[in-house]
Amino acid sequence: MSRSPPLQPLAGNAAAQPSVGSAPAWIRGRAVDQIPTAVLLVLCAFAALMSDRFLSSANLSNVLLQAAVLAVITVGMTYVIIGGGFDLSVGSVVALAGCIGAEVMLQAGITAGVAAGLLAGVAVGLVNGTVVAYLGVSPFIATLATMVLVRGVVLLITNGAPVVGEEGLPQGFLDYGTSRFLGLPLLVWTAAAVFVVFAWILHRTAYGTRIYATGGSREAAFLSGVPVRRISLSTYVVSGLTAGIAGVMLASRLQSGQPTAGEFYELNSIAAVVLGGAALHGGEGKLYKSMVGVLIMVVLANSLNLIGVDSYWQRVTIGLVIVAAAAADQLRRRRR
């Protein structure tokens, strides 16, 4: 009885060989990864073609100044969304921090006023985090309630009037909102510093890894030993802190604490995070891409201003961008 010939060994290790479609898939993944940056570049090119003022140094400086406050808010919003949450209260916190900071500043000086504004933001973030993480309330409902409540508190303590004092806010604080360093406003440098610090924390520390784990799968993170409730709470504290910083920055720029400040900032910051590629269900996203999303929002508004589009249509356009960003997030989820 003849035996069949022995099987010949495969050349190399089959398990180690890349699949046929791995390289194209990797390329496609990288291409999708850079879509936000490509959109920003296309938008800038379009704006430059439509208006010769767009690339002027004065306008570019104005774009960065417009982006500074929103960028700081978006840093905290990125933490919350990656952690699997949602924060609609940041716009109201901006107003609260600016008004409380200005009021305390008039009585006790710049340092005490700035500290009071930041603490106000942290306090609201702590309340949000406790209600969401420990009481199990939906982030949408909890922060929607806080948004309305905090805005009401701001209007009550200010009687709906700007906080400016008889002689105005301290000159040093006002100078911070108008001064420049190396040609850029100090507010822009502040936003850059906030980004660098919180990007390092999110992408280079164990705490940042736990935020991603919590947003990706709370149950899996819990079974891995991650204190998911504390991590979730902490993301809201970060969001409150950055909203507090933004509130103080905006008060310096406006030279007063404005009780109506911060309107629509929560929607714009959420849109910026999603435009940057973060997933609304949590566990995905990068902080630098959220900053790209911020620039997309600001450049869009700036270019519409330069070509003379009515402010009402600008709101319609930004609303469409938010819808498109949410739809893109849903498409990404379905493909996976």
Side-chain angles (χ1 to χ4, degrees), residues 9-303:
L10 295 174
N13 187 350
Q17 297 298 318
S19 61
V20 176
S22 61
W26 180 81
I27 294 173
R28 286 196 301 270
R30 295 287 293 180
V32 170
D33 210 37
Q34 298 305 317
I35 285 178
T37 304
V39 170
L40 176 61
L41 293 176
V42 170
L43 186 59
C44 289
F46 172 78
L49 289 173
M50 296 300 294
S51 174
D52 56 0
R53 291 181 295 166
F54 177 76
L55 292 178
S56 66
S57 58
N59 186 66
L60 292 178
S61 177
N62 180 57
V63 167
L64 293 177
L65 184 59
Q66 292 286 340
V69 172
L70 180 59
V72 173
I73 297 171
T74 303
V75 166
M77 187 67 74
T78 303
Y79 270 64
V80 172
I81 289 178
I82 290 177
F86 213 69
D87 191 354
L88 292 174
S89 67
V90 290
S92 298
V93 174
V94 166
L96 178 70
C99 290
I100 287 182
E103 191 66 52
V104 173
M105 202 174 294
L106 292 171
Q107 307 297 325
I110 297 175
T111 302
V114 171
L118 301 189
L119 288 174
V122 170
V124 176
L126 188 60
V127 171
N128 283 334
T130 301
V131 172
V132 172
Y134 287 91
L135 299 184
V137 179
S138 162
F140 179 84
I141 298 300
T143 59
L144 177 64
T146 309
M147 176 184 75
V148 177
L149 186 152
V150 171
R151 184 69 69 176
V153 169
V154 175
L155 293 172
L156 283 172
I157 62 177
T158 61
N159 291 319
V163 180
V164 64
E166 294 181 1
E167 299 181 358
L169 298 178
Q171 189 59 44
F173 183 66
L174 301 181
D175 290 342
Y176 164 68
T178 58
S179 298
R180 293 172 175 264
F181 176 69
L182 298 179
L184 291 177
L186 290 181
L187 295 176
V188 174
W189 289 108
T190 301
V194 170
F195 164 74
V196 169
V197 170
F198 283 96
W200 180 81
I201 293 172
L202 183 62
H203 301 300
R204 292 290 184 268
T205 67
Y207 169 65
T209 302
R210 290 172 180 172
I211 293 176
Y212 279 98
T214 300
S217 173
R218 293 177 66 87
E219 182 178 357
F222 177 77
L223 294 175
S224 300
V226 176
V228 293
R229 288 184 174 179
R230 279 186 289 168
I231 294 297
S232 180
L233 183 149
S234 69
T235 61
Y236 285 94
V237 172
V238 170
S239 181
L241 173 61
T242 55
I245 295 172
V248 172
M249 292 169 61
L250 189 58
S252 178
R253 183 182 172 192
L254 299 177
Q255 301 189 350
S256 62
Q258 293 287 342
T260 58
E263 291 183 341
F264 298 109
Y265 275 8
E266 57 280 335
L267 299 180
N268 289 341
S269 62
I270 291 170
V273 174
V274 178
L275 282 171
L280 284 173
H281 59 81
E284 301 176 24
K286 293 182 179 179
L287 199 52
Y288 86 89
K289 289 186 180 180
S290 295
M291 298 301 102
V292 172
V294 168
L295 290 175
I296 290 174
M297 299 291 291
V298 175
V299 169
L300 176 61
N302 179 259
S303 59

